[in-house]
Amino acid sequence: MKRKILILTSNGGNGLLSGAQAIREGLELTNQDPPTEVKVVDFPKEISRVYDFFVGTLYNYLLQKSLRFCTIYVWIGYRFELIFSLLWGLYRQRFQTFFSQEKPDHLILCSPWIIQPLMAYFKCHPSLAPKSITVVVLDLAPPLPPGWVSHNVDKYLVPSWEVFCALVQKGIAASKIQIIEFPLQQQFFTNNENANKTNHAIEKLPHVVISAGREGNQDLLREAEKILAEKSLSYRLTLICGQNKYYKERLEKLAVTNGHNNCQIMDYVEEIAPLIKTADLLVTKAGAITISEALQLKTPLLIYTHPTIMPQEKGNLKFLQNRGLLNEARNGRELRRKLGELRLNKIFSAPHRAHQIEIYGSIKDIPKETWGKLTAS
């Protein structure tokens, strides 16, 4: 008889969905005994339009329009997280209908916005609870969103020793936590060595990819606009505008007006691995999924942190800093200066290590003083 694994996530940003899809791909590639059905579900969308609006639609809208407003929104969500814990009471019947129909043997949870409501529901309805509940944390280092933490979860899979320590400090038993690195889709493990190399070799110009994410964050695209306002560029430029049609059209017109023949402007790209693979530099914000993709493909990163850093992304910067990999542009002027220095290779003076397990670390990599504090508590 087939067993059923449900991977539940939410649609706030692209990282949570991408992480869930990566876990599904990984499970489907392994030989499952007994045979296993694996399914990814956008849980808030399945339960309620209102639930999905607050954790998905509104978040994504603010993420596109302004990082400042999005940061305030996330901060409010952290402070009033108890509201999410009570959602199961408001939508009790829909929770019950969903789990009665699906009947999962195992749950894998990949979003901090769904863990508390689910655990509260299963506490009151244990008969519908699956055999096991696993949480896969999709942040690289603390501070972690408080929604990741639940003492009733059976197992935690985390990407780094920093997250391991943070959960232990929150009272999660160390025996429940396993470090597995960051889950990435299979496109980042296939051989893209020769993809898009021909033009790069002929032009002999550094290739810069600026990614504004799936939503197309306007703060980063405004800086791209200033870059294209320059009369000449000393590098090839690929701009990924995501779902921001307005800025894509503006940037396309500006590139034509200023004769930037070495500039390519694109919508959101599903198969982004070949593009990152051929880049000499990836400019992006501090999302855990994008950082991990660049590390896997051995592409240097330049993290753009203006006008602010999202609360859940501060730990990702710390993760890079702990490993000597942080290359940061704090404002538009610094971004343009660093890009202008590409021809002189100054930007590569910072160390950049290839992706390997040591980047994420293991329990043995926990500093002695930190381990002492953990064992003492």
Side-chain angles (χ1 to χ4, degrees), residues 192-226:
N192 297 305
E193 199 67 41
N194 298 318
N196 296 336
K197 287 288 184 184
T198 306
N199 290 339
H200 190 192
I202 293 172
E203 295 179 20
K204 295 182 180 179
L205 290 174
H207 180 202
V208 176
V209 175
I210 298 179
S211 174
R214 184 189 65 181
E215 310 308 323
N217 174 249
Q218 289 188 177
D219 297 300
L220 186 50
L221 292 178
R222 285 193 195 100
E223 292 307 322
E225 192 173 27
K226 293 176 183 176

Side-chain angles (χ1 to χ4, degrees), residues 131-200:
K131 295 175 183 176
S132 71
I133 300 176
T134 300
V135 169
V136 181
V137 178
L138 299 177
D139 289 301
L140 293 171
L144 299 175
W148 285 122
V149 181
S150 173
H151 294 85
N152 297 319
V153 167
D154 297 299
K155 193 171 188 63
Y156 272 93
L157 302 179
V158 304
S160 68
W161 62 262
E162 288 98 328
V163 177
F164 178 95
C165 293
L167 290 176
V168 172
Q169 288 172 336
K170 294 289 185 181
I172 304 297
S175 58
K176 286 185 175 183
I177 311 171
Q178 181 182 347
I179 300 174
I180 62 161
E181 306 181 37
F182 199 93
L184 295 176
Q185 294 182 41
Q186 290 305 305
Q187 61 171 301
F188 295 95
F189 297 94
T190 54
N191 185 10
N192 297 305
E193 199 67 41
N194 298 318
N196 296 336
K197 287 288 184 184
T198 306
N199 290 339
H200 190 192

Side-chain angles (χ1 to χ4, degrees), residues 191-364:
N191 185 10
N192 297 305
E193 199 67 41
N194 298 318
N196 296 336
K197 287 288 184 184
T198 306
N199 290 339
H200 190 192
I202 293 172
E203 295 179 20
K204 295 182 180 179
L205 290 174
H207 180 202
V208 176
V209 175
I210 298 179
S211 174
R214 184 189 65 181
E215 310 308 323
N217 174 249
Q218 289 188 177
D219 297 300
L220 186 50
L221 292 178
R222 285 193 195 100
E223 292 307 322
E225 192 173 27
K226 293 176 183 176
I227 290 170
L228 291 182
E230 299 175 4
K231 294 302 178 184
S232 63
L233 299 177
S234 58
Y235 47 86
R236 285 198 304 130
L237 180 62
T238 299
L239 287 172
I240 303 175
C241 300
Q243 298 171 356
N244 197 324
K245 303 293 185 183
Y246 171 75
Y247 258 92
K248 182 176 183 287
E249 292 176 4
R250 283 182 62 127
L251 294 172
E252 284 174 335
K253 291 177 182 177
L254 189 57
V256 171
T257 301
N258 288 337
H260 292 308
N261 298 323
N262 288 325
C263 179
Q264 183 181 16
I265 299 171
M266 309 174 71
D267 295 309
Y268 175 66
V269 182
E270 287 284 353
E271 297 290 326
I272 198 174
L275 198 58
I276 297 178
K277 180 72 175 179
T278 58
D280 293 296
L281 183 70
L282 175 63
V283 181
T284 184
K285 66 186 193 72
I289 184 75
T290 310
I291 287 173
S292 298
E293 290 168 354
L295 291 175
Q296 168 64 27
L297 297 175
K298 305 175 185 177
T299 299
L301 280 161
L302 178 56
I303 306 297
Y304 186 62
T305 56
H306 183 80
T308 186
I309 306 168
M310 298 280 285
Q312 72 272 27
E313 294 179 348
K314 290 181 179 179
N316 301 333
L317 289 179
K318 188 185 296 183
F319 174 87
L320 291 173
Q321 191 173 36
N322 288 346
R323 289 151 181 80
L325 297 172
L326 180 58
N327 189 11
E328 180 183 3
R330 296 176 182 84
N331 53 57
R333 185 179 299 174
E334 186 176 9
L335 172 63
R336 294 190 294 276
R337 177 180 63 79
K338 288 193 172 186
L339 291 180
E341 292 172 350
L342 265 174
R343 293 285 284 178
L344 302 176
N345 289 327
K346 290 182 180 179
I347 202 162
F348 300 121
S349 59
H352 185 84
R353 291 162 49 194
H355 181 286
Q356 51 189 303
I357 192 168
E358 286 77 12
I359 279 188
Y360 293 98
S362 62
I363 293 177
K364 68 182 181 184

